[in-house]
């Protein structure tokens, strides 16, 4: 299994400019809608369109062991744990299967670059927009 | 026999836990080692737990090794990036420390340096993956190592936090990326734990790794009450709190509760051991191990 990506193309000068322009548009959309944290390695589509990077521990692979029984964040108790919100939304949208993915170790070089450009240039995986529901999942959804 | 061999042999293992001192005094660790020698199979060494500065866990582990106690070195992602983490792991391997417990770590806001910058470069799943990759002989960079460190990889699980489904997903992730044993949060709600174990068994996860249930003996109702209020992710049944409050000898009651819970855990299918973590009360470990009938 390879969740550790080490070989990534370096940004050229032209790309840097392009990414900056794209990021400007991306920010206008993603910051108000998802409170995007501009990590450049967007996994929004796997996390039911809630930005996981808002977590104080920046967890990419699910919640830490800390949320309270009421679902509050352990670090900022007046907030709801972002991963609990992700789970609830994923259930609603039938996207639980995507939460099972092991997410790559974050490449900090991509911080503040355009995730869209990174998808186009294959630096990161493309978003999974549609998923086919498996039978067992439909059943478990109905049961719940 | 090492912890790994004992688990492989199907023995019901007992782990202890030791919190290093807030000073460079190795005598504290050597003294505490006496509570564990010949009594438990391995001892967890916390890595700056609750984000309070303490003697380094790897250094403490080395001291324990010298004292003839097998350490389980805890590694958190809060304070180190991937470079420091790998370097520390190699250092641990060089000193003969093989058991590593990979944790994300408490947020620094709880500790004595709340103004510190946290790292969280990796999360615990990715740390397990990293250690596993090192075990296969490679660093994250892809650099091959001449000598493979032979780690025994542990991870944590919290059966008591919501939502249950997400807990199992996360456990599954940790096992997929290479976790060989799992230590859980302390059990103070046996029904909930049994429910979690049922889900674990239904997915066959208990056959892919050894599950060691957590147990935290308490010595006063106040301590238990504090845990319920302040420690994130704890779930305590009110009956235990009531029993501790009603008891004239809370220490005795604490031991009784611990022994009771251990006995029930031991009978559960898929539980391969217990992890005793009497916070700042390490001296009680031998008594509990003996009363629970787990003396070697």
């Amino acid at each position: 299994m390879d969740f550790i990506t080490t070989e990534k193309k370096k940004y050229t000068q032209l790309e840097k400019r392009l990414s900056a322009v794209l990021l400007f548009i991306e920010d206008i959309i993603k910051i108000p809608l998802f409170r995007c944290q501009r990590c450049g390695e967007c996994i929004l589509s796997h996390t039911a369109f809630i930005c996981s990077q808002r977590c104080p521990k920046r967890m990419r692979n699910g919640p830490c062991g800390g949320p309270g029984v009421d679902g509050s964040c352990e670090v900022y108790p007046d907030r709801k744990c972002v991963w609990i919100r992700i789970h609830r939304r994923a259930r609603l949208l039938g996207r639980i299967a995507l939460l099972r993915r092991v997410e790559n170790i974050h490449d900090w070089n991509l911080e503040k670059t355009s995730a869209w450009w990174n998808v186009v240039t294959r630096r990161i995986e493309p978003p999974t927009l549609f998923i086919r529901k498996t039978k067992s999942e439909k059943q478990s959804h109905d049961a719940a | 026999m090492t912890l790994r061999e004992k688990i492989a042999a199907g023995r019901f293992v007992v782990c202890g836990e030791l919190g290093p001192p807030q000073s460079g005094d190795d005598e504290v660790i050597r003294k505490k080692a006496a509570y564990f020698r010949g009594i438990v199979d391995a001892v967890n060494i916390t890595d700056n737990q609750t984000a309070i500065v303490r003697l380094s866990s790897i250094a403490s582990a080395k001291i324990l090794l010298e004292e003839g106690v097998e350490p389980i070195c805890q590694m958190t992602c809060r304070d180190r990036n991937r470079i420091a983490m790998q370097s520390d792991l190699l250092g641990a391997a060089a000193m003969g420390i093989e058991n590593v417990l990979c944790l994300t770590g408490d947020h620094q806001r709880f500790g004595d340096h709340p103004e510190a910058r946290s790292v969280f470069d990796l999360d615990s799943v990715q740390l397990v993956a990293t250690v596993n990759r090192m075990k296969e002989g490679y660093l994250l960079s892809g650099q091959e190592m001449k000598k493979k460190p032979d780690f025994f990889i542990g991870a944590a699980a919290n059966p008591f936090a919501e939502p249950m489904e997400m807990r199992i997903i996360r456990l599954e992730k940790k096992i997929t990326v290479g976790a060989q044993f799992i230590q859980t949060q302390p059990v103070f709600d046996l029904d909930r734990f049994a429910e979690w174990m049922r889900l674990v068994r239904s997915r066959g996860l208990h056959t892919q790794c050894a599950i060691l249930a957590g147990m935290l003996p308490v010595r006063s109702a106040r301590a238990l009450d504090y845990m319920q209020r302040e420690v994130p992710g704890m779930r305590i049944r009110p009956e235990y709190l009531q029993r501790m409050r009603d008891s004239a000898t809370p220490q005795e009651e604490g031991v009784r509760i611990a022994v009771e819970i251990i006995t029930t855990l031991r009978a559960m299918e898929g539980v391969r051991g217990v992890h005793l973590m009497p916070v700042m009360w390490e001296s009680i470990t031998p008594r509990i191990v003996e009363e629970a009938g787990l003396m070697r």
Side-chain angles (χ1 to χ4, degrees), chain A residues 37-50:
Chain A
Q37 303 286 314
R38 310 170 95 209
C39 75
E41 204 167 356
C42 194
I43 53 167
L44 264 177
S45 72
H46 305 150
T47 57
F49 306 104
I50 294 175

Side-chain angles (χ1 to χ4, degrees), chain A residues 55 57 59 62-67 74 81 83, chain B residues 104-105 158 161 167 170:
Chain A
C55 165
K57 294 182 185 172
M59 306 285 283
C64 70
E74 65 164 13
C81 165
W83 272 100
Chain B
T104 303
N158 186 353
R167 295 294 143 197
R170 222 169 129 70

Side-chain angles (χ1 to χ4, degrees), chain A residues 58 63 65 87 101 106 108, chain B residues 82 119 121 158 165 170 173:
Chain A
R58 294 188 294 276
H87 173 258
R101 293 172 43 108
H106 184 41
W108 289 90
Chain B
R82 58 196 85 177
V119 180
D121 189 18
N158 186 353
E165 184 181 38
R170 222 169 129 70
K173 277 193 193 186

Side-chain angles (χ1 to χ4, degrees), chain B residues 197-248:
Chain B
M197 271 316 292
R198 197 183 56 74
L199 284 171
V200 167
R201 283 194 302 266
S202 72
R203 293 194 154 264
L205 301 177
H206 64 302
T207 56
Q208 297 165 36
C209 72
I211 291 179
L212 314 179
M215 171 66 245
L216 197 157
V218 279
R219 51 175 154 185
S220 69
R222 226 188 58 198
L224 200 58
D225 192 46
Y226 171 83
M227 276 198 316
Q228 176 149 39
R229 276 183 295 110
E230 304 290 333
V231 180
M234 288 285 287
R235 186 185 288 248
I236 297 165
R237 285 286 284 268
E239 63 196 67
Y240 293 122
L241 211 60
Q242 201 53 47
R243 275 175 65 182
M244 288 302 286
R245 281 203 192 108
D246 293 346
S247 172

Side-chain angles (χ1 to χ4, degrees), chain B residues 62 89-97 147 149 151:
Chain B
K62 174 69 179 159
L89 280 165
L90 290 179
M95 292 193 293
I97 301 159
K147 191 180 166 203
F151 291 120

